[in-house]
């Protein structure tokens, strides 16, 4: 099976094996090299490189274990996985879900997991602003991260004991709660709702599309968890519209919400509503 040199959106479900290395002796017969082993992709049989016998592999599945429980809980969304050099280096990146991420720049980066299977890099666990799309961005992300684990004996257990991802998400949620609690405790009338929309979208309600205002109004009163009586309901209406109504396609809504005008609107909503709650 041919293995691409580089792949994005690979699920990293394959495993690494260490296999014996042989060379041709003087008599023409194979002789095993006792100090080195070949690093082989189990699914394709491709040799990715050579490492010493003391090199401990961290399987892709073990690396992904750091984020999978939080993905299952809906706290993280995996955005970028893949490999370089036929699988010699692998990466996985996830972001704190939108409702948490908009609340502070420190949570705008990716939870990034990097690993080298042939001694070309340590296991790296941290946050990076770089989306890995090539060797250069892999290197840049790797340089961003300070928590690294060498492939010595016991590395897999040390990696599995890392608290970075959990601490990162808990910090984001604490920041979210810090901003949202005052909004949840501040009542909001229909008049205040309209005033908030004008500040958030920076134009009079009368100049907005009628269907757009009607949808936001419906989300304010009837959106998930909303009953139309607090500034928190306003925030939920705005972010719910961004995530589910703003564009026709899922990819369009995703880009709008996380990277486009929708991200700026959500950030403005936090600022506007926080100011209203302080009055």
């Amino acid at each position: 099976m041919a293995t691409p040199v580089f792949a994005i959106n690979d699920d990293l479900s394959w495993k690494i094996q260490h296999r014996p290395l042989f060379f041709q002796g003087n008599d023409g017969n194979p002789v095993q090299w006792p100090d080195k082993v070949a690093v082989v992709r189990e699914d394709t049989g491709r040799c990715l490189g050579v490492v010493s016998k003391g090199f401990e592999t961290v399987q892709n599945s073990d690396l992904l274990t750091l984020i999978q429980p939080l993905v299952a809980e809906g706290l993280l969304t995996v955005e970028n996985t893949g490999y370089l050099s036929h699988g010699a280096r692998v990466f996985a990146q996830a972001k704190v879900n939108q409702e948490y991420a908009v609340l502070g720049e420190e949570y705008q980066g990716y939870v990034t997991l990097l690993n080298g299977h042939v001694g070309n890099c340590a296991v790296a666990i941290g946050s990076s602003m770089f989306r890995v799309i090539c060797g250069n961005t892999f290197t840049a992300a790797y340089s961003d991260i300070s928590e690294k684990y060498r492939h010595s004996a016991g590395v897999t257990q040390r990696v599995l004991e890392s608290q970075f991802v959990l601490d990162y998400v808990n910090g984001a949620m604490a920041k979210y709660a810090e901003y949202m609690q005052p909004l949840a405790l501040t009542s909001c009338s229909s008049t205040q709702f309209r005033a908030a929309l004008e500040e958030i979208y920076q134009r009079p309600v009368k100049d907005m599309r009628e269907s757009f205002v009607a949808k936001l109004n419906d989300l304010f009163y009837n959106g998930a968890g909303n009953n139309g009586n607090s500034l928190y309901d306003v925030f939920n209406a705005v972010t719910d519209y961004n995530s589910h109504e703003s564009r026709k396609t899922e990819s369009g809504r995703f880009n709008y919400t996380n990277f486009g005008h929708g991200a700026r609107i959500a950030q403005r909503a936090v600022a506007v509503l926080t100011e209203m709650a302080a009055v």
Side-chain angles (χ1 to χ4, degrees), residues 51-245:
V51 296
S52 66
K53 279 197 169 181
F55 183 96
E56 182 176 316
T57 289
V58 176
Q59 297 288 357
N60 300 336
S61 58
D62 290 324
L63 191 67
L64 294 175
T65 294
L66 295 175
I67 57 175
Q68 284 169 338
L70 297 175
V71 171
E73 289 182 34
L75 302 178
L76 288 177
T77 297
V78 176
E79 293 192 359
N80 189 30
T81 58
Y83 60 80
L84 304 169
S85 303
H86 303 282
R89 290 182 289 173
V90 298
F91 55 87
Q93 296 184 294
K95 289 189 77 172
V96 177
N97 280 337
Q98 183 265 341
E99 60 265 40
Y100 304 128
V102 297
L103 299 178
E105 289 185 2
E106 64 266 41
Y107 300 109
Q108 292 297 310
Y110 297 95
V111 174
T112 298
L113 311 176
L114 308 174
N115 188 24
H117 287 307
V118 296
N120 45 4
C121 74
V123 180
I125 305 167
S127 176
S128 174
M129 294 299 294
F130 293 95
R131 181 179 174 87
V132 178
I133 57 173
C134 62
N136 288 338
T137 49
F138 186 103
T139 300
Y142 188 78
S143 298
D144 262 358
I145 297 172
S146 59
E147 186 171 316
K148 296 184 173 76
Y149 300 87
R150 296 180 62 185
H151 287 269
S152 54
V155 63
T156 298
Q157 187 60 38
R158 293 194 298 275
V159 166
L160 293 176
E161 290 172 353
S162 170
Q163 293 296 303
F164 174 84
V165 177
L166 185 60
D167 290 345
Y168 185 88
V169 173
N170 284 341
M173 294 173 69
K175 179 65 69 175
Y176 178 74
E178 177 186 331
Y179 277 86
M180 291 300 109
Q181 185 175 17
L183 305 190
L185 296 175
T186 305
S187 61
C188 180
S189 66
S190 58
T191 300
Q192 289 171 316
F193 174 61
R194 291 173 69 87
L197 293 186
E198 291 185 341
E199 290 295 323
I200 293 168
Y201 291 98
Q202 298 186 326
R203 64 181 187 274
V205 167
K206 65 181 179 63
D207 294 338
M208 300 179 191
R209 287 194 329 274
E210 185 176 340
S211 60
F212 171 68
V213 176
K215 187 61 186 180
L216 285 170
N217 190 70
D218 179 57
L219 291 170
F220 176 58
Y221 287 102
N222 305 308
N226 281 6
N227 52 28
N229 65 10
S230 73
L231 293 179
Y232 183 59
D233 293 340
V234 181
F235 178 76
N236 281 340
V238 171
T239 55
D240 198 359
Y241 183 89
N242 281 356
S243 299
H244 301 103
E245 307 290 341

Side-chain angles (χ1 to χ4, degrees), residues 1 3-4 6-15 41 43-44 60 64 78-84 86-87 89-93:
M1 179 189 297
T3 310
F6 171 69
I8 294 179
N9 296 326
D10 183 82
D11 63 8
L12 303 182
S13 60
W14 41 271
K15 292 184 177 181
R41 269 188 66 159
D43 60 335
T44 64
N60 300 336
L64 294 175
V78 176
E79 293 192 359
N80 189 30
T81 58
Y83 60 80
L84 304 169
H86 303 282
R89 290 182 289 173
V90 298
F91 55 87
Q93 296 184 294

Side-chain angles (χ1 to χ4, degrees), residues 21-35:
L21 278 173
F22 296 85
F23 62 92
Q24 188 177 43
N26 290 342
D27 59 1
N29 294 318
V31 178
Q32 185 175 349
W33 191 358
D35 301 323

